[in-house]
């Protein structure tokens, strides 16, 4: 048996709570961040809703949205 690729719908009459989707992460220039792979860094450029450019010291990386491995400090 395989899983369906389509997301499950929530019926308004269901006794179970609807799944909560977290709000998208927002970053600003000069925010300090940490990344699971690259470590500590600072946001130096933003492409709204697409990606952020982060300076991790010896390397600069473009991190695409949804920024699952990165969080603001």
């Amino acid at each position: 048996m395989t899983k369906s690729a389509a997301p499950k719908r929530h019926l308004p009459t269901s006794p179970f709570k609807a799944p909560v989707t977290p709000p998208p992460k927002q970053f600003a220039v000069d925010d300090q961040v940490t990344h699971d792979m690259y470590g500590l860094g600072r946001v130096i450029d933003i492409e709204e809703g697409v990606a952020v450019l982060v300076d991790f010291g010896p390397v600069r990386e473009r991190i695409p949205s949804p920024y699952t491995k990165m969080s603001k400090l």
Side-chain angles (χ1 to χ4, degrees):
M1 184 179 261
T2 61
K3 289 188 176 183
S4 173
K8 293 183 179 181
R9 295 183 319 151
H10 178 73
L11 300 174
T13 57
S14 173
F16 302 103
K17 291 183 180 179
V20 177
T21 56
K25 294 182 182 178
Q26 298 291 321
F27 296 101
V29 174
D30 288 333
D31 278 350
Q32 283 190 328
V33 296
T34 182
H35 191 276
D36 291 350
M37 191 167 143
Y38 302 111
L40 296 174
R42 184 174 300 276
V43 175
I44 57 175
D45 192 22
I46 299 173
E47 298 173 32
E48 284 299 322
V50 179
V52 293
L53 184 63
V54 183
D55 182 11
F56 290 106
V59 65
R60 290 182 176 181
E61 288 291 328
R62 182 178 178 268
I63 310 295
S65 180
Y67 321 113
T68 56
K69 296 182 178 184
M70 190 167 74
S71 59
K72 191 186 305 189
L73 295 178

